[in-house]
Amino acid sequence: MTSEKSNRVWRLAARPTGNEFDTALRLEEEATPVPQVGELLVKNRILSMDSGTRMYMTDRKDSYQPGTPLGAPILGTVIGEVAQSRHPAYAEGDLVRCYGNWADWSIATPETLYTAKLDGKEPNLAEYVGILGANGWTAYLGVVEYGAARAGETFLVSAAAGCTGSMAGQIAKIAGCRAVGLAGTDDKCTFLKNDLDFDDAINYRKGALVDSIAASCPDGINLYFDNVGGDVLDAALSNMADFGRVAVCGLLANYSAEGPVPGPYKFDLVLMKRLTVQGFFSPDFYHREPEINPVLRQWRDDGRLKLPIEETVGLENTIAAYTKLFIGANIGKVVVRV
Ligand SMILES: NC(=O)c1ccc[n+]([C@@H]2O[C@H](COP(=O)([O-])OP(=O)(O)OC[C@H]3O[C@@H](n4cnc5c(N)ncnc54)[C@H](OP(=O)(O)O)[C@@H]3O)[C@@H](O)[C@H]2O)c1
């Protein structure tokens, strides 16, 4: 089980420029790690591909998580089986979700946040990092608590065909909002309206976005769920209703930036329109999984919450899977099956 040279690990060889992950990440083969007292050796089955990981590839000092040191393995959420347990609460064969590495094996520490024994009810393990994982909880709390969505309101979400955004839009619908999505292709917009029941969808790459949003949201946006920041945030700010709320989930357009990012240029509208802007970060609410997952699972089982899963097979293909998030090549959740 712990033979030499049997662990392939993606390590950060250099800080990536833009989406050039090929030159920045290196797949190395090394000895399988050995768990210390209190740790688990986990055989990775599913790697969750998360846009936020891009930020940890930089060396910025003021992020909510420190950057990955050069040479270190890439950290991410994994699902796998306990192959060796040195923690009394876990046994060999347990199915777990934990922070681990983009690798064949991970070392998990049950005492850290997020390590959880899974119930094994889901035939597709990727569900535990989709609807039933941090993206699902972020979409749920971002809409119902941080964004305080109310029936009858107009809700706008960016990266709407992606993992977090598609769930946020569907949850806003469940809350009784009129849901409008922004996505990067006409096909994605059709998918949002036909398959996920969004009331409208706008291709943000076409025409003047400020005008397209105004046409779709004539009474203004009451709640904007922002996944991208940048120009799209400015276009949304221009269309906010008075006393609207901006739930800042992510700033994808900034993650690859080389230096300080200008804007939002329309920040003065926070004052003019008396807006509330609220950021939120999933580790702050991991502990609420037992309360949130039954709700999400029920909606999923009722057919009201859907999430396509795009699976790439093979650890060696991780970069191709990860790049999808930054070139808009995905719909729903992206995972790698190891
Ligand atoms: N706050 C938290 O705790 C938390 C937790 C999870 C995720 N998030 C955030 O949620 C956002 C979505 O993450 P995800 O992992 O679920 O990814 P995702 O939405 O599944 O994939 C990313 C999508 O964003 C769009 N996109 C990429 N670059 C863009 C740009 N520069 N401008 C506009 N759209 C762009 C692309 O679709 P198009 O074709 O539409 O461009 C792409 O498919 C990220 O900002 C992430 O950091 C936050």
Side-chain angles (χ1 to χ4, degrees):
M1 181 173 52
T2 54
S3 61
E4 290 294 306
K5 296 285 180 200
S6 57
N7 189 28
R8 294 169 303 156
V9 184
W10 282 103
R11 288 185 178 271
L12 188 65
R15 306 278 172 209
T17 303
N19 301 331
E20 290 173 11
F21 302 115
D22 273 336
T23 45
L25 306 188
R26 205 165 42 220
L27 188 61
E28 294 184 349
E29 193 167 352
E30 47 198 65
T32 306
V34 177
Q36 304 301 305
V37 174
E39 294 181 337
L40 314 172
L41 175 66
V42 175
K43 179 78 191 85
N44 295 340
R45 297 291 178 210
I46 295 286
L47 309 183
S48 173
M49 297 288 105
D50 294 290
S51 319
T53 308
R54 175 66 182 83
M55 222 182 334
Y56 313 139
M57 296 180 191
T58 70
D59 62 356
R60 67 176 289 179
K61 306 283 187 287
D62 56 355
S63 165
Y64 39 41
Q65 187 172 308
T68 304
L70 286 178
I74 303 293
L75 184 74
T77 297
V78 309
I79 294 171
E81 284 142 23
V82 175
Q84 192 183 343
S85 173
R86 299 199 63 195
H87 189 285
Y90 287 78
E92 209 169 297
D94 281 348
L95 188 64
V96 293
R97 177 185 51 222
C98 58
Y99 282 134
N101 296 125
W102 290 6
D104 289 308
W105 301 87
S106 292
I107 293 289
T109 315
E111 305 312 332
T112 55
L113 224 53
Y114 207 43
T115 301
K117 224 182 272 191
L118 300 173
D119 59 22
K121 288 182 192 164
E122 300 298 326
N124 186 349
L125 294 181
E127 291 282 331
Y128 293 109
V129 288
I131 290 179
L132 303 175
N135 294 105
W137 315 332
T138 302
Y140 175 78
L141 290 183
V143 172
V144 304
E145 279 193 14
Y146 295 103
R150 290 185 285 267
E153 291 190 328
T154 296
F155 173 91
L156 181 75
V157 57
S158 48
C163 177
T164 313
S166 64
M167 289 191 280
Q170 293 172 85
I171 292 167
K173 286 287 294 182
I174 294 170
C177 297
R178 176 172 180 272
V180 178
L182 303 176
T185 68
D186 289 344
D187 284 349
K188 287 186 179 184
C189 291
T190 303
F191 165 77
L192 291 172
K193 289 189 281 186
N194 291 356
D195 294 55
L196 301 189
D197 207 23
F198 276 52
D199 295 285
D200 200 6
I202 299 166
N203 182 340
Y204 71 89
R205 293 181 194 276
K206 275 186 170 173
L209 185 55
V210 177
D211 298 340
S212 319
I213 296 175
S216 178
C217 307
D219 299 325
I221 304 157
N222 303 106
L223 173 54
Y224 174 48
F225 190 108
D226 192 15
N227 282 316
V228 304
D231 297 345
V232 176
L233 170 59
D234 274 317
L237 286 174
S238 296
N239 281 289
M240 295 301 293
D242 286 351
F243 303 103
R245 286 99 59 209
V246 181
V248 183
C249 175
L251 299 167
L252 247 167
N254 299 1
Y255 294 165
S256 313
E258 295 297 313
V261 179
Y265 294 102
K266 297 287 186 181
F267 189 76
D268 60 352
L269 292 176
V270 172
L271 172 61
M272 306 308 156
K273 294 170 184 261
R274 285 84 82 209
L275 306 178
T276 302
V277 181
Q278 174 72 60
F280 48 97
F281 181 42
S282 54
D284 295 338
F285 43 80
Y286 282 168
H287 63 282
R288 294 182 61 184
E289 171 177 6
E291 160 207 347
I292 299 170
N293 268 1
V295 178
L296 297 178
R297 197 174 233 149
Q298 188 64 54
W299 287 341
R300 194 267 317 264
D301 294 347
D302 292 346
R304 295 204 283 171
L305 183 59
K306 299 174 192 157
L307 180 69
I309 291 171
E310 289 197 10
E311 181 178 296
T312 294
V313 177
L315 180 65
E316 63 283 6
N317 299 317
T318 302
I319 288 180
Y322 193 61
T323 305
K324 285 182 179 184
L325 301 173
F326 299 91
I327 59 171
N330 67 304
I331 286 185
K333 180 72 191 172
V334 180
V335 298
V336 172
R337 184 170 290 273
V338 180

